[in-house]
Amino acid sequence: MVTAIVHIKADVDRIPEVAEAIAEVEGVSEVYSITGEFDLLAMVRVARYDEVAEVVPGRINKVAGVRHTETHIAFRTYSRHDLEAAFSIGLSDAD
């Protein structure tokens, strides 16, 4: 699984519509409205790296109201569950 984090600048008056349209794109798992330099953040999860090219420039960048994107590829995923498991190694309930 390849995860890409896509920061999106959108037309200010169309942010909710742009977010909803991006959320419908195959390969996009979540879209968040965010503060800061960008307006939206989309999580893209696909099976292969070349699919990122299909989703981001091929679909997301073509959504009406998208002005600019910046894509970051995740190397490794850490979840709270994974971190809790890692920190509990070697500890037992009897301690």
Side-chain angles (χ1 to χ4, degrees):
M1 174 74 60
V2 178
T3 300
I5 299 96
V6 185
H7 291 90
I8 302 158
K9 288 186 182 182
D11 291 336
V12 175
D13 60 337
R14 301 199 64 228
I15 291 172
E17 294 86 3
V18 171
E20 289 175 15
I22 292 171
E24 296 297 320
V25 170
E26 185 177 344
V28 174
S29 61
E30 302 126 81
V31 178
Y32 301 95
S33 60
I34 58 173
T35 62
E37 183 180 345
F38 292 90
D39 304 303
L40 301 169
L41 182 143
M43 298 300 295
V44 173
R45 292 184 170 90
V46 292
R48 298 181 327 269
Y49 284 103
D50 59 339
E51 291 180 68
V52 174
E54 295 170 21
V55 174
V56 180
R59 296 191 193 117
I60 291 176
N61 283 354
K62 293 180 180 176
V63 170
V66 170
R67 295 177 37 227
H68 174 75
T69 61
E70 183 175 295
T71 304
H72 302 267
I73 302 293
F75 293 126
R76 184 171 292 144
T77 301
Y78 300 92
S79 70
R80 168 168 275 162
H81 173 74
D82 293 339
L83 292 175
E84 288 173 358
F87 287 121
S88 68
I89 294 174
L91 300 178
S92 69
D93 291 340
D95 290 340

